[in-house]
Amino acid sequence: MIIVMASCKQEDIDYVVSRIEALGYKGHVLKGVERTVIAAIGDERGKFRLQSLESLPHVEKVVPILKPFKLAGRELRSEPTVIQVGSAQIGGERLCVIAGPCSVESREQMLETARCVKEAGASALRGGAFKPRTSPYSFQGLEEEGLQLLQEAAQRYDMPFVTEVMTPEQVPLVERYADILQVGARNMQNFSLLKAAGKARKPVFLKRGMMSTINELLMSAEYILAEGNAQVILCERGIRTFETETRNTLDLSAVPVLKQLTHLPVVVDPSHSTGHWGLVNPMAKAAVVAGADGLMIEVHPRPSEAFSDGPQSLTPVHFHQLMDEIRRLLEIVGKTL
Amino acid sequence: MIIVMASCKQEDIDYVVSRIEALGYKGHVLKGVERTVIAAIGDERGKFRLQSLESLPHVEKVVPILKPFKLAGRELRSEPTVIQVGSAQIGGERLCVIAGPCSVESREQMLETARCVKEAGASALRGGAFKPRTSPYSFQGLEEEGLQLLQEAAQRYDMPFVTEVMTPEQVPLVERYADILQVGARNMQNFSLLKAAGKARKPVFLKRGMMSTINELLMSAEYILAEGNAQVILCERGIRTFETETRNTLDLSAVPVLKQLTHLPVVVDPSHSTGHWGLVNPMAKAAVVAGADGLMIEVHPRPSEAFSDGPQSLTPVHFHQLMDEIRRLLEIVGKTL
Amino acid sequence: MIIVMASCKQEDIDYVVSRIEALGYKGHVLKGVERTVIAAIGDERGKFRLQSLESLPHVEKVVPILKPFKLAGRELRSEPTVIQVGSAQIGGERLCVIAGPCSVESREQMLETARCVKEAGASALRGGAFKPRTSPYSFQGLEEEGLQLLQEAAQRYDMPFVTEVMTPEQVPLVERYADILQVGARNMQNFSLLKAAGKARKPVFLKRGMMSTINELLMSAEYILAEGNAQVILCERGIRTFETETRNTLDLSAVPVLKQLTHLPVVVDPSHSTGHWGLVNPMAKAAVVAGADGLMIEVHPRPSEAFSDGPQSLTPVHFHQLMDEIRRLLEIVGKTL
Amino acid sequence: MIIVMASCKQEDIDYVVSRIEALGYKGHVLKGVERTVIAAIGDERGKFRLQSLESLPHVEKVVPILKPFKLAGRELRSEPTVIQVGSAQIGGERLCVIAGPCSVESREQMLETARCVKEAGASALRGGAFKPRTSPYSFQGLEEEGLQLLQEAAQRYDMPFVTEVMTPEQVPLVERYADILQVGARNMQNFSLLKAAGKARKPVFLKRGMMSTINELLMSAEYILAEGNAQVILCERGIRTFETETRNTLDLSAVPVLKQLTHLPVVVDPSHSTGHWGLVNPMAKAAVVAGADGLMIEVHPRPSEAFSDGPQSLTPVHFHQLMDEIRRLLEIVGKTL
């Protein structure tokens, strides 16, 4: 950590050094032409207390040097994490396509969707049983019944399924049914839920919050990893910006950035990020080429009748067409479905 | 709701009208010079399904007309909500100043802080026992012991206290000690927590998410109100923008906007929004003049030793000075502490 | 345009209708269950004055229905615009790759770069002679000498070149040398410059401002088109968001959005948007797959010695490799270089 | 400047040091537990070339230490700049209120507005003769005739006036009439215009771009100062964020931040930032309390008939009332009109 001093006396510098050393670091003073900086050298544990030195007189700013995550980083583990769930694989030389409706609405809807997406080549099923909705008056999901319908559809078509868990106490219930537990974007910094997910035995699908930096996404993954669950899948699903033509702004550059910073697999959700089905096809293909390990795509048999997220759902026909186009790209990218 | 059609045939328009009417609305077609728009007239329940019509062919966009919140809005209740908690009042003709440290660290720290802020004129105490921290390696709070220390300090100096609750299942525990339950910015769309807080018997202090719109803040309040808890306090604490000179960007205009839209009291937190103690004084005073019903301010006896948020904490001396300046402003604003 | 009324009396509605009609529109009143809306039907000229009705009593909001651009839109011209400049083509079935250094630094640098990028398959050369720099102390460009060096290099390797023009009065000078005039991101709403570029006889390469919406980009294109210059090329180069891992956030979804809204060709600049050379390769390829008509890529023989933008420049070797990968993608996309 | 190395060999470090020294700096290597950092010590000229070292192998990041502005900063000049223009003063112990319409529309409108704002206590007049408008079809201003009308109204009521200049070549014309030259938000990084304004003999009113950082605003001021014009007034007028309830988000914290960083006076524009006249009153008062040296407020005799910005303009009655409230606040703040 680097502490930049405003112009001040030697005794002010000495005082900051004494405080650094009281916290167990070695302070190294570097006098420049216009500024003095002090490097705090030592193990990073407790560095968060160093940040409070910013309130000392004459300290202009405190600049951290190390990335704050460890287990999620490339330094402790350079080879990529590959997660195997039933017949699906996330990470490595395969592209995992997770498809299905936003909400589980009925048995017929789930079976029909599962059949379609399986035929088209999807590797896993998605569907929401517990729905985080901005309005209390919106459809809140079928809850446990939804989990049962998901399980039935997934088993019939031999795919694992991903579904969202919203509270720590729901984890055991959802884990009983689901193959992969999703932590949604609005819960990315629900730290109690992250800890509970970290104790689960199932892989965790962690969506980036629409307000969260890449660094914060990795810190949230770190919560799960630190509890002992090594199977974390990261998902870029759009961030909030000033642009309103799309629902959110898909930060596709986050894919290669994450690939540099972490060994965890990275999935892209072009449905939530764009909010319009007509944009899903080009952004899904762009994600594959940018290096994503997987895609999460909303598919609904009749989007205009969907209980939620109709405008961004693909019909089975459009999904089929997208999968055909992806297959051709995969030959170049050097992956398979 | 207004449905804007792209250029299309009469039969396409008829089809959309038939779909609107199948959902129980009356469709009214308005032909303009370049566009046809269809108004869907009727009760708003189920409007969320109308949104899915956006995926029909030739529908350019679906524009909602009504605000999505009801209980939080001014239309059903025009007089302002005033919340009385022990000796403190939030809303109405008094300004409520809630002060204390970011984290509860020790008994001495809490008693010393409580004494100072009480002497300076604060109406309520704050302090975190369960801490939502970006890093799993940061201090996570003293938990129940923290609640006990808060309670002791608050009772000794006859102030109610506010503290954060992080999960639905923590609500009963925190409610047993605290006078006001805080839902933090990162949990503003933790809908399970909102529902649990809506069932509590204590007022709820709801912080705006750092990337949440004013509209979403009111929708989150609506979750609490819809569960029967009418005592909701809204808190503006800064939003995330591209500017990095401050920790977040205090959206002070949100105060008069909220005053127009809702009857709920509005508090401003100049500590978290700015992130630097030197900015707390001017922004606290600006908030008072902009019409805030209260302030939440971090105060620590020795900021440079704080376990968290040291850089943004006021010393007791600076807090005292701020309160003196606020008292003079209140004469003009027409309020009292 | 739709005018939404707050709850009010019939006479308030009548007054707004009278004002609408005084401006030459037909007012159509639609009474809903909770709100009355008034549609202003008529030709759109003067609509900007309708917006001021928002300040009338009881008017809640004024919602425009039509897109504000005309010449740039798909409605007046559905077939895509294809721009031919010397041997290069922008739009249509070819992918135009524009490559070169950020700044023109010397004759050797320009000749060396031009040779490399030509060999690798670039269609056009880029280079800055007038440099818009945040700091007055940064290198400001070689000015006219830079234009001469660009011209020499471009002619020797038979490529057209693009270079930035910063003021209306520079337009004639730059037009004398350059094949395509660039209006930079910081000047996207420099309306005097847009008008001057609209009077030029050379195509205009219009970069999206880092703070500008897609709609505003099209309105700036409209300025150029309205002056009679039909050859406008749009360029997405990243928008400013809260994320700091990349220099800006590449809004790649803007490509398919623009393709829906406009007939103008769309180019992507992965260098400025990401700010790191290591991200240029994946994002360039993603842009091709997302439907971009071209790429603008910074290439420098020795990036670590560049006068500007070194960190985001590709070496000739890396550029060559990228072009090889793009060639393979183009077979699938159905385009050629 | 601090250069953070990824884990690498001694020879990689030596190479970076050699490159630093080739640029004329002294390199100081600091080995930490997990990272090596290299400090580049020396005069800051040319630092922009240091940034390109980021493209060297094994360099993780380059962290600047010094603020990039000099003339605008507090270090070279600690006492505040006070600008006297006719009867008005900007900076120091007076609050300067600049009021008037968005656009100059007619002689009657200007004379009526000037009389009203003068009576209410305004110190200066504003009005746009050259209008930067998003759409080419919007009213573009009365140009030189507008300048004449402004001058007549300003002289009759003995106030200086501020008006926008949009291109370098307009500077002599506008300077002939106006007392203060405004550089608008969309031109904040129009560096050619900044240089031309820096050569003018009139004070420059520099508006912060809606997506510009505080640091960039100061760098743009630096352009003007570096040309020899010491009379620069900074104006916060709202930044672009995701929030849509207000036209922009007024970043009021920028006022105390700027007061810490620069000696230049700081004015707040609550009209453009909020976009709604009902929010102008509270935010204007908040700005005064937060330490602003002045206010720029849009006033129009009949806002619903304004050619531009009607929704955010105050009527003369509302402006009068605001000025009365401001007078009472000034007693506490210790300033006068």
Side-chain angles (χ1 to χ4, degrees):
Chain A
M1 198 160 281
I2 299 287
I3 291 148
V4 182
M5 301 297 294
S7 50
C8 63
K9 298 186 191 146
Q10 182 60 40
E11 65 201 56
D12 300 315
I13 294 168
D14 293 346
Y15 180 62
V16 173
V17 171
S18 73
R19 295 296 302 276
I20 288 170
E21 298 190 337
L23 288 169
Y25 300 87
K26 191 157 167 296
H28 187 108
V29 177
L30 253 170
K31 302 219 171 196
V33 175
E34 302 197 29
R35 279 287 187 286
T36 295
V37 303
I38 307 171
I41 299 176
D43 186 291
E44 78 205 46
R45 273 169 299 205
K47 277 240 164 131
F48 297 94
R49 302 222 21 213
L50 275 179
Q51 196 71 43
S52 283
L53 297 181
E54 206 167 287
S55 60
L56 286 180
H58 307 291
V59 171
E60 193 172 283
K61 57 180 173 182
V62 173
V63 184
I65 293 299
L66 288 178
K67 300 282 179 198
F69 44 85
K70 295 186 234 177
L71 302 172
R74 281 259 178 214
E75 301 192 2
L76 284 185
R77 179 193 163 96
S78 56
E79 73 276 27
T81 290
V82 177
I83 296 170
Q84 195 72 39
V85 196
S87 55
Q89 177 187 309
I90 303 137
E93 297 312 306
R94 284 176 61 193
L95 181 88
C96 180
V97 180
I98 305 163
C102 177
S103 300
V104 181
E105 298 167 10
S106 71
R107 185 165 180 269
E108 291 64 36
Q109 172 230 23
M110 278 316 304
L111 290 174
E112 183 179 352
T113 310
R115 184 178 51 74
C116 293
V117 303
K118 177 71 175 186
E119 283 174 8
S123 341
L125 189 65
R126 64 148 285 152
F130 297 94
K131 297 302 304 170
R133 305 301 301 277
T134 302
S135 165
Y137 311 121
S138 296
F139 176 63
Q140 306 273 320
L142 294 183
E143 308 193 348
E144 188 164 0
E145 188 195 339
L147 297 175
Q148 290 162 346
L149 297 177
L150 273 163
Q151 192 178 49
E152 180 187 350
Q155 287 180 349
R156 179 173 303 183
Y157 295 101
D158 186 28
M159 294 180 284
F161 77 94
V162 185
T163 199
E164 180 160 354
V165 56
M166 286 176 63
T167 67
E169 70 263 46
Q170 274 173 6
V171 170
L173 172 69
V174 177
E175 196 181 4
R176 206 153 62 234
Y177 292 97
D179 301 291
I180 302 176
L181 307 180
Q182 176 176 314
V183 173
R186 287 172 181 74
N187 277 322
M188 194 203 88
Q189 292 197 318
N190 179 338
F191 302 112
S192 309
L193 179 59
L194 294 174
K195 287 180 190 170
K199 294 193 181 93
R201 307 250 176 124
K202 297 283 175 72
V204 178
F205 190 88
L206 177 64
K207 291 192 121 177
R208 180 180 179 186
M210 72 182 86
M211 63 177 95
S212 300
T213 62
I214 290 171
N215 203 62
E216 287 167 345
L217 172 62
L218 289 170
M219 290 309 291
S220 288
E222 192 84 5
Y223 261 95
I224 300 168
L225 298 167
E227 295 290 338
N229 188 341
Q231 302 194 89
V232 178
I233 303 149
L234 305 174
C235 179
E236 159 61 30
R237 47 77 70 211
I239 57 174
R240 185 164 267 184
T241 69
F242 61 85
E243 178 57 65
T244 55
E245 285 289 324
T246 44
R247 180 171 167 174
N248 290 119
T249 295
L250 178 62
D251 180 12
L252 199 55
S253 311
V255 174
V257 169
L258 282 166
K259 289 308 221 177
Q260 286 174 6
L261 294 175
T262 183
H263 51 85
L264 297 171
V266 180
V267 169
V268 169
D269 175 345
S271 305
H272 282 88
S273 49
T274 64
H276 298 288
W277 70 266
L279 304 173
V280 170
N281 177 300
M283 300 321 290
K285 292 184 294 186
V288 170
V289 171
D293 296 298
L295 297 169
M296 174 171 264
I297 293 175
E298 291 195 341
V299 177
H300 193 286
R302 284 163 300 280
S304 72
E305 296 174 16
F307 287 10
S308 57
D309 282 356
Q312 73 199 32
S313 297
L314 292 189
T315 59
V317 168
H318 285 137
F319 180 66
H320 228 295
Q321 184 184 326
L322 169 62
M323 291 300 288
D324 288 345
E325 293 177 34
I326 285 175
R327 266 191 202 88
R328 298 178 59 205
L329 283 176
L330 288 180
E331 286 170 38
I332 289 179
V333 169
K335 289 186 184 168
T336 57
L337 278 180
Chain B
M1 199 160 277
I2 299 287
I3 292 148
V4 182
M5 302 296 294
S7 51
C8 63
K9 297 186 192 144
Q10 182 61 39
E11 64 201 57
D12 299 317
I13 294 168
D14 294 345
Y15 180 62
V16 173
V17 171
S18 72
R19 293 296 303 277
I20 288 170
E21 298 190 340
L23 288 168
Y25 300 87
K26 192 156 164 295
H28 187 110
V29 177
L30 253 171
K31 301 218 172 195
V33 174
E34 302 197 27
R35 279 285 187 287
T36 294
V37 304
I38 306 171
I41 298 177
D43 186 291
E44 79 204 45
R45 275 171 298 206
K47 279 240 164 130
F48 296 95
R49 302 221 24 213
L50 275 179
Q51 197 71 43
S52 283
L53 297 181
E54 207 166 286
S55 60
L56 286 180
H58 308 292
V59 171
E60 194 171 284
K61 58 180 171 180
V62 174
V63 183
I65 293 299
L66 289 178
K67 299 281 180 198
F69 45 84
K70 295 186 234 179
L71 302 172
R74 281 260 177 212
E75 301 193 1
L76 284 185
R77 179 192 164 98
S78 56
E79 73 276 26
T81 289
V82 177
I83 295 170
Q84 195 72 39
V85 195
S87 55
Q89 177 187 308
I90 303 136
E93 298 312 304
R94 285 176 61 193
L95 182 89
C96 180
V97 180
I98 305 164
C102 178
S103 299
V104 182
E105 297 167 9
S106 70
R107 185 165 178 269
E108 292 63 37
Q109 172 231 25
M110 276 316 303
L111 290 174
E112 182 178 354
T113 309
R115 183 179 51 74
C116 293
V117 303
K118 176 72 177 185
E119 282 174 9
S123 341
L125 190 63
R126 65 148 285 150
F130 298 93
K131 297 302 305 171
R133 304 302 300 277
T134 301
S135 166
Y137 311 121
S138 296
F139 176 63
Q140 306 273 321
L142 295 182
E143 307 194 348
E144 187 165 0
E145 188 195 339
L147 295 175
Q148 290 161 347
L149 296 177
L150 272 163
Q151 192 179 49
E152 181 186 350
Q155 287 180 349
R156 180 174 303 186
Y157 295 102
D158 186 28
M159 292 180 285
F161 78 95
V162 186
T163 199
E164 180 160 353
V165 55
M166 286 175 64
T167 66
E169 71 262 47
Q170 274 173 6
V171 171
L173 173 70
V174 177
E175 196 182 4
R176 205 153 64 233
Y177 291 98
D179 301 291
I180 302 176
L181 307 180
Q182 177 175 315
V183 173
R186 285 172 182 75
N187 277 321
M188 193 202 88
Q189 292 197 318
N190 179 338
F191 302 113
S192 309
L193 180 58
L194 294 175
K195 286 180 191 171
K199 293 194 182 95
R201 306 246 177 128
K202 297 283 176 72
V204 178
F205 190 88
L206 178 64
K207 292 192 122 179
R208 180 180 179 187
M210 73 182 88
M211 209 127 177
S212 300
T213 62
I214 289 171
N215 203 63
E216 287 167 345
L217 172 61
L218 289 170
M219 289 310 291
S220 289
E222 192 83 5
Y223 261 95
I224 300 169
L225 297 168
E227 294 290 337
N229 189 341
Q231 303 195 89
V232 178
I233 302 150
L234 305 173
C235 179
E236 160 61 31
R237 47 76 74 211
I239 57 174
R240 185 164 267 185
T241 69
F242 61 85
E243 178 57 66
T244 56
E245 285 289 324
T246 44
R247 179 171 168 173
N248 289 119
T249 295
L250 178 62
D251 179 12
L252 200 54
S253 311
V255 174
V257 170
L258 283 166
K259 289 307 220 178
Q260 286 173 7
L261 295 175
T262 184
H263 51 85
L264 298 170
V266 180
V267 168
V268 169
D269 175 345
S271 305
H272 281 88
S273 48
T274 63
H276 297 290
W277 70 266
L279 303 174
V280 170
N281 178 300
M283 299 322 290
K285 292 185 294 186
V288 170
V289 171
D293 295 298
L295 297 168
M296 174 171 264
I297 293 174
E298 291 197 340
V299 178
H300 192 288
R302 283 163 300 280
S304 72
E305 296 175 15
F307 287 9
S308 56
D309 283 354
Q312 73 200 33
S313 297
L314 292 189
T315 60
V317 168
H318 284 138
F319 180 66
H320 228 296
Q321 183 185 326
L322 170 61
M323 290 300 286
D324 289 345
E325 293 177 35
I326 285 175
R327 266 192 201 87
R328 297 180 58 206
L329 282 176
L330 287 180
E331 287 171 38
I332 288 178
V333 169
K335 289 185 183 168
T336 57
L337 278 179
Chain C
M1 198 161 278
I2 299 288
I3 292 148
V4 182
M5 302 297 293
S7 49
C8 63
K9 296 186 191 144
Q10 181 61 38
E11 64 201 57
D12 299 317
I13 294 168
D14 293 346
Y15 180 62
V16 173
V17 171
S18 73
R19 295 296 302 276
I20 288 170
E21 298 190 339
L23 288 169
Y25 300 87
K26 193 158 166 294
H28 188 111
V29 177
L30 252 171
K31 301 219 171 196
V33 175
E34 302 197 30
R35 280 285 187 287
T36 294
V37 304
I38 306 171
I41 298 177
D43 186 290
E44 80 204 46
R45 275 170 299 205
K47 277 242 164 125
F48 297 95
R49 302 219 27 211
L50 275 179
Q51 196 72 43
S52 282
L53 297 181
E54 207 167 286
S55 60
L56 287 180
H58 308 291
V59 171
E60 194 171 284
K61 58 180 171 181
V62 174
V63 184
I65 293 299
L66 288 177
K67 299 282 180 199
F69 44 84
K70 294 186 235 178
L71 302 171
R74 281 259 177 213
E75 301 193 1
L76 284 185
R77 180 193 163 96
S78 56
E79 72 276 27
T81 290
V82 177
I83 296 170
Q84 194 73 39
V85 197
S87 56
Q89 177 187 308
I90 303 136
E93 297 313 303
R94 286 177 59 194
L95 182 89
C96 180
V97 180
I98 305 163
C102 178
S103 300
V104 182
E105 297 167 10
S106 70
R107 186 165 178 271
E108 292 62 38
Q109 172 230 25
M110 275 318 303
L111 290 174
E112 182 178 356
T113 310
R115 185 180 49 75
C116 293
V117 303
K118 176 73 177 185
E119 282 174 9
S123 341
L125 189 64
R126 65 149 285 151
F130 297 94
K131 297 301 305 169
R133 304 300 301 277
T134 302
S135 167
Y137 310 122
S138 295
F139 176 62
Q140 305 274 320
L142 294 182
E143 308 194 348
E144 187 165 359
E145 188 195 340
L147 295 175
Q148 290 162 345
L149 297 176
L150 273 163
Q151 193 179 48
E152 181 186 351
Q155 288 179 348
R156 180 174 303 185
Y157 296 102
D158 186 29
M159 292 181 284
F161 77 95
V162 186
T163 198
E164 180 160 355
V165 56
M166 285 177 65
T167 67
E169 70 262 47
Q170 274 173 6
V171 170
L173 172 69
V174 177
E175 197 181 6
R176 206 154 62 234
Y177 292 97
D179 302 290
I180 302 176
L181 308 180
Q182 176 175 315
V183 173
R186 286 172 182 74
N187 277 322
M188 194 201 87
Q189 292 196 318
N190 180 338
F191 302 111
S192 310
L193 179 58
L194 295 175
K195 286 179 190 171
K199 295 195 182 92
R201 306 248 177 124
K202 297 283 176 70
V204 179
F205 190 87
L206 177 64
K207 291 192 121 179
R208 179 180 179 187
M210 73 182 86
M211 64 178 93
S212 300
T213 62
I214 289 171
N215 203 61
E216 288 167 345
L217 172 61
L218 289 171
M219 289 309 292
S220 289
E222 191 84 5
Y223 261 95
I224 301 168
L225 297 169
E227 295 289 337
N229 188 341
Q231 302 195 89
V232 178
I233 303 150
L234 305 174
C235 180
E236 160 62 32
R237 46 77 71 213
I239 56 173
R240 185 163 267 183
T241 69
F242 61 85
E243 178 57 65
T244 55
E245 285 289 325
T246 44
R247 179 171 168 174
N248 288 119
T249 295
L250 177 62
D251 180 13
L252 199 55
S253 311
V255 175
V257 169
L258 283 167
K259 289 306 219 180
Q260 286 173 6
L261 295 175
T262 183
H263 52 85
L264 298 169
V266 180
V267 169
V268 168
D269 175 345
S271 305
H272 282 89
S273 49
T274 63
H276 297 290
W277 70 266
L279 304 174
V280 169
N281 177 301
M283 299 322 290
K285 293 185 294 185
V288 170
V289 171
D293 295 298
L295 296 170
M296 174 171 263
I297 293 175
E298 291 197 340
V299 178
H300 194 285
R302 284 162 299 281
S304 72
E305 296 174 15
F307 287 10
S308 57
D309 283 355
Q312 73 200 33
S313 297
L314 293 189
T315 60
V317 169
H318 284 138
F319 180 67
H320 228 296
Q321 182 184 328
L322 170 62
M323 290 301 286
D324 288 344
E325 293 177 35
I326 284 175
R327 266 191 203 86
R328 297 181 58 207
L329 281 176
L330 286 179
E331 287 170 38
I332 288 179
V333 168
K335 289 185 183 167
T336 57
L337 277 179
Chain D
M1 198 160 282
I2 299 287
I3 292 148
V4 182
M5 302 296 293
S7 50
C8 62
K9 296 185 193 147
Q10 182 61 40
E11 65 202 57
D12 300 316
I13 294 168
D14 293 345
Y15 180 62
V16 174
V17 171
S18 73
R19 295 295 303 275
I20 289 170
E21 299 190 338
L23 288 168
Y25 299 87
K26 192 158 168 294
H28 188 110
V29 177
L30 253 171
K31 302 219 172 196
V33 175
E34 302 196 28
R35 278 286 187 287
T36 294
V37 304
I38 307 171
I41 298 177
D43 186 290
E44 80 204 46
R45 275 169 298 204
K47 278 239 163 130
F48 297 94
R49 301 217 30 209
L50 274 179
Q51 196 72 42
S52 283
L53 298 180
E54 208 167 284
S55 59
L56 287 180
H58 308 291
V59 171
E60 193 171 283
K61 58 180 172 181
V62 173
V63 184
I65 293 299
L66 287 178
K67 299 281 179 200
F69 44 85
K70 296 187 233 177
L71 302 171
R74 281 259 178 214
E75 300 192 2
L76 284 186
R77 179 191 164 97
S78 57
E79 73 277 27
T81 289
V82 177
I83 296 170
Q84 195 72 40
V85 197
S87 55
Q89 178 186 309
I90 302 137
E93 298 313 304
R94 284 176 61 194
L95 182 87
C96 179
V97 179
I98 304 163
C102 178
S103 300
V104 182
E105 297 167 10
S106 70
R107 185 165 180 268
E108 292 63 38
Q109 173 230 25
M110 277 316 304
L111 290 175
E112 182 180 352
T113 310
R115 183 179 52 75
C116 292
V117 303
K118 177 70 177 187
E119 282 175 9
S123 340
L125 189 64
R126 64 149 285 152
F130 297 93
K131 298 301 305 170
R133 305 301 301 276
T134 302
S135 166
Y137 311 122
S138 295
F139 177 63
Q140 306 273 321
L142 295 182
E143 308 194 348
E144 187 165 359
E145 188 196 339
L147 296 175
Q148 290 162 345
L149 297 177
L150 273 163
Q151 193 179 49
E152 181 187 350
Q155 287 179 350
R156 180 174 302 185
Y157 295 101
D158 186 30
M159 294 180 284
F161 78 94
V162 186
T163 199
E164 180 159 355
V165 56
M166 286 176 62
T167 67
E169 71 262 48
Q170 275 172 6
V171 170
L173 173 70
V174 177
E175 196 181 6
R176 206 154 62 233
Y177 291 97
D179 303 290
I180 302 175
L181 307 179
Q182 176 175 314
V183 173
R186 286 172 182 75
N187 277 322
M188 195 202 87
Q189 292 196 318
N190 180 337
F191 302 112
S192 309
L193 180 58
L194 295 175
K195 287 180 190 171
K199 294 194 182 93
R201 306 247 176 128
K202 298 282 175 70
V204 179
F205 190 89
L206 177 63
K207 292 192 120 179
R208 179 180 180 188
M210 72 182 88
M211 209 128 177
S212 301
T213 62
I214 290 171
N215 202 62
E216 288 167 345
L217 172 62
L218 290 169
M219 290 309 290
S220 289
E222 192 84 5
Y223 261 95
I224 301 168
L225 298 168
E227 294 289 337
N229 188 341
Q231 303 195 89
V232 179
I233 304 149
L234 305 173
C235 179
E236 159 62 30
R237 48 76 71 211
I239 56 174
R240 186 164 265 184
T241 69
F242 61 85
E243 178 57 66
T244 55
E245 285 288 325
T246 44
R247 180 170 166 174
N248 289 119
T249 295
L250 178 62
D251 180 11
L252 200 54
S253 311
V255 174
V257 169
L258 283 166
K259 290 307 222 179
Q260 286 173 7
L261 295 175
T262 183
H263 51 85
L264 297 171
V266 180
V267 169
V268 169
D269 175 345
S271 305
H272 281 88
S273 49
T274 63
H276 297 289
W277 70 266
L279 304 174
V280 170
N281 178 300
M283 300 322 290
K285 292 185 294 186
V288 170
V289 171
D293 294 299
L295 296 169
M296 174 171 263
I297 293 174
E298 290 196 340
V299 178
H300 193 285
R302 284 163 299 280
S304 71
E305 297 174 14
F307 287 11
S308 57
D309 282 354
Q312 74 200 32
S313 297
L314 291 189
T315 60
V317 169
H318 285 138
F319 180 66
H320 228 295
Q321 183 185 325
L322 170 61
M323 291 300 287
D324 288 345
E325 292 177 36
I326 285 174
R327 267 191 201 88
R328 297 179 59 205
L329 282 176
L330 287 180
E331 287 171 37
I332 289 179
V333 169
K335 288 186 183 168
T336 57
L337 278 179

